[in-house]
Amino acid sequence: MDEAESRRANGPDWDRYADEYQSTHGEFLGDAGFVWGPEGLTEAEARVLGEVADRDVLEVGSGAGQCSRWVRGRGGRAYGLDLSHRQLQHSRRIDEDSGLRVPSVLGTATDLPFADASFDVVFCSFGALQFVADLADAVAETARVLRPGGRFAFSITHPTRWMFPDDPGEEGLTASQSYWDRTPYVEVDDETGQTRYVEHHRTLGDWVRALAAAGFALVDLLEPEWPPDHDRVWGGWSRTRGLLTPGTALFVADLAH
Ligand SMILES: C[S@@+](CC[C@H](N)C(=O)[O-])C[C@H]1O[C@@H](n2cnc3c(N)ncnc32)[C@H](O)[C@@H]1O
């Protein structure tokens, strides 16, 4: 399942899913809100991007741009990039409704259409990285567009979740496949036989090595706890599972000077 096929599947898949994604999760995300994942950890609480005012910030896998709008609201020059045209149309809709505009571009994480050393901060909130086959290219591209000493922060499904069925209930608490099996999760269209959706798994060590290989030093790894009174179900994320196992990993890394 190479990069070209992953992209061919995931772009149209996100186009199809975008309306439902925004109507289901838009309120939780907030038009100009910044949450790092289904646990509801906000950037205002985590503060992993550092000061964003007057800084050039790129969000990769920006969807409807909610996080970038939060950055803009704090004086940062945030830009979005996403593979899905429909997600970007939602971004445009919220730009117009909110009056907080996030300039955004259609593109892919593995081939960023920006000059070298253009940004102080690059981030992804569950965007792009687990959907790319060529992770080394995506991390190298991030390093290329960051200025020396720049920060890269991204949240992904916690790699340990790979062992469990993607079920928010009790079924999702019993490990049933190997953590070390990197065979991607693939959905195929029954009628056409074409790949419809691909998600790639890496272990925690794989992520650390990918960062180090591109010149990043890991600064922190946050594993947000599920708030005891938080009862939201988001796909395979739920209170039932969240109180026992981590659902989100938030990596924070700095590019060498
Ligand atoms: C789970 S959504 C997250 C969107 C947004 N960050 C949020 O919190 O709502 C993942 C996003 O990644 C985008 N995406 C998937 N593959 C990508 C790629 N190769 N390059 C850029 N974006 C990609 C999808 O189109 C989708 O908008």
Side-chain angles (χ1 to χ4, degrees):
M1 194 53 61
D2 63 10
E3 182 54 36
E5 181 146 15
S6 299
R7 219 177 309 154
R8 223 172 11 248
N10 287 338
D13 183 75
W14 277 101
D15 284 341
R16 279 189 298 271
Y17 179 44
D19 292 4
E20 186 189 331
Y21 180 85
Q22 297 303 335
S23 67
T24 308
H25 304 300
E27 198 182 325
F28 177 72
L29 296 171
D31 286 353
F34 193 141
V35 292
W36 281 109
E39 296 82 6
L41 176 71
T42 64
E43 172 55 15
E45 296 161 324
R47 300 187 63 81
V48 297
L49 299 187
E51 187 52 67
V52 292
D54 208 26
R55 315 209 80 196
D56 296 309
V57 179
L58 173 65
E59 178 177 9
V60 177
S62 51
Q66 288 93 342
C67 299
S68 287
R69 225 168 269 109
W70 182 91
V71 171
R72 288 241 157 212
R74 271 139 201 88
R77 291 179 292 275
Y79 299 85
L81 174 139
D82 201 279
L83 185 62
S84 160
H85 185 246
R86 186 64 183 156
Q87 285 280 69
L88 292 179
Q89 286 182 322
H90 280 286
S91 190
R92 192 64 177 272
R93 167 181 59 78
I94 302 175
D95 282 351
E96 279 160 21
D97 290 353
S98 66
L100 261 180
R101 209 171 78 80
V102 177
S104 300
V105 63
L106 187 71
T108 180
T110 51
D111 188 12
L112 298 175
F114 301 103
D116 297 358
S118 302
F119 296 99
D120 303 299
V121 176
V122 176
F123 74 91
C124 309
S125 178
F126 272 83
L129 295 177
Q130 56 204 58
F131 304 107
V132 302
D134 292 343
L135 180 64
D137 287 355
V139 179
E141 275 293 86
T142 302
R144 182 184 66 73
V145 302
L146 270 174
R147 299 186 177 120
R151 175 146 293 191
F152 181 28
F154 60 92
S155 59
I156 52 167
T157 303
H158 198 290
T160 57
R161 275 280 161 104
W162 192 249
M163 296 179 280
F164 302 94
D166 194 27
D167 184 318
E170 299 281 329
E171 288 284 307
L173 293 175
T174 305
S176 55
Q177 73 163 9
S178 167
Y179 171 69
W180 295 279
D181 183 353
R182 276 88 159 177
T183 311
Y185 170 79
V186 175
E187 289 176 10
V188 174
D189 188 311
D190 289 340
E191 281 170 24
T192 63
Q194 304 240 306
T195 308
R196 261 184 84 106
Y197 179 80
V198 186
E199 211 170 307
H200 296 272
H201 166 65
R202 285 103 191 173
T203 66
L204 286 164
D206 292 343
W207 287 101
V208 172
R209 280 185 293 277
L211 288 167
F216 287 101
L218 190 62
V219 173
D220 205 348
L221 169 58
L222 276 68
E223 296 164 295
E225 290 191 35
W226 193 272
D229 58 350
H230 181 45
D231 224 358
R232 193 160 202 281
V233 173
W234 179 325
W237 285 258
S238 64
R239 185 172 183 277
T240 303
R241 299 177 82 198
L243 292 178
L244 295 172
T245 65
T248 297
L250 169 49
F251 288 81
V252 187
D254 283 346
L255 191 62
H257 278 92

